Amino acid sequence: DVLERARIIGLDFDDHIEQGLLNLEHFNPTETTQGQIFRRIEEVVADGARLIVLDSLTGFVRTLRAGGELLPQFNALLNSLKQLGVASVMTLNEGAEHPAGQSEIDFSFLTDNVIRLSQYRQDGAIGRSIWVGKKRYGPHSRKIRALHIDPPGVTVRPIEGAFHVTADKTDDVST
């Protein structure tokens, strides 16, 4: 459960949910069509949502094999959200079947920013890292930083010493 995992790292969203400031919805891509999810997004935006987070697009990519046309729909959705002043954040899990930074479908041209979450090896251990792969407007740091998600929360800091970014798993967080 997302709320339980958030509590473990010190994030408690219960008050936000009770106040109507946060709405979490789970969709199973094998039971829900892309169109149904897009319509639900339109409904919550009409109700006043200012931020939409889709975690993750991996299920959508898998449903493409069943004949869906995801890229034109996503392009229309993102343009609509942008015109309405609604921010969108999407994640895409990329596993070992794809080299780091690549997926079956390239969504990066649809986004203004791409933040990559990767694994790195250092001194015989695996760590998580975060770095900006794309920022459409303005300069950005190209440094890879260590990412720690544990109690009391999320920490980003420089990686000390030599390390190697692995190609085993990379996640995109597109904004």
Side-chain angles (χ1 to χ4, degrees):
D1 172 65
V2 162
L3 292 175
E4 185 58 33
R5 288 181 295 192
R7 282 185 205 101
I8 289 170
I9 63 167
L11 301 173
D12 187 357
F13 295 117
D14 291 335
D15 287 343
H16 291 85
I17 292 170
E18 288 174 18
Q19 294 174 28
L21 300 173
L22 177 65
N23 179 27
L24 299 175
E25 296 188 29
H26 177 263
F27 296 98
N28 183 336
T30 62
E31 299 172 358
T32 311
T33 68
Q34 297 160 5
Q36 289 171 316
I37 294 173
F38 289 155
R39 280 190 293 283
R40 183 62 186 132
I41 291 170
E42 291 169 354
E43 290 170 5
V44 298
V45 168
D47 288 342
R50 305 309 311 152
L51 172 67
I52 301 293
V53 178
L54 293 176
D55 181 22
S56 107
L57 296 180
T58 304
F60 287 109
V61 171
R62 290 187 179 134
T63 62
L64 284 177
R65 295 185 187 121
E69 294 191 21
L70 183 61
L71 289 179
Q73 289 178 325
F74 255 96
N75 192 29
L77 174 68
L78 293 176
N79 283 332
S80 173
L81 293 173
K82 191 177 209 176
Q83 289 174 358
L84 294 169
V86 176
S88 59
V89 176
M90 293 166 277
T91 68
L92 177 63
N93 302 320
E94 298 174 336
E97 68 274 14
H98 304 292
Q102 297 179 6
S103 68
E104 290 180 60
I105 298 173
D106 181 12
F107 288 94
S108 68
F109 76 95
L110 297 175
T111 67
D112 290 333
N113 306 292
V114 175
I115 302 169
R116 293 213 180 272
L117 304 176
S118 307
Q119 293 181 336
Y120 67 95
R121 288 180 292 179
Q122 182 181 44
D123 299 329
I126 299 290
R128 298 269 303 166
S129 63
I130 185 168
W131 50 285
V132 177
K134 171 186 172 184
K135 183 177 178 197
R136 192 177 306 252
Y137 304 105
H140 65 280
S141 172
R142 300 204 180 268
K143 293 186 178 192
I144 299 172
R145 302 199 184 275
L147 173 68
H148 299 275
I149 303 174
D150 52 19
V154 178
T155 307
V156 177
R157 60 179 166 252
I159 299 173
E160 303 293 333
F163 65 93
H164 172 74
V165 175
T166 68
D168 298 329
K169 182 160 175 55
T170 302
D171 300 336
D172 267 353
V173 179
S174 300
T175 61

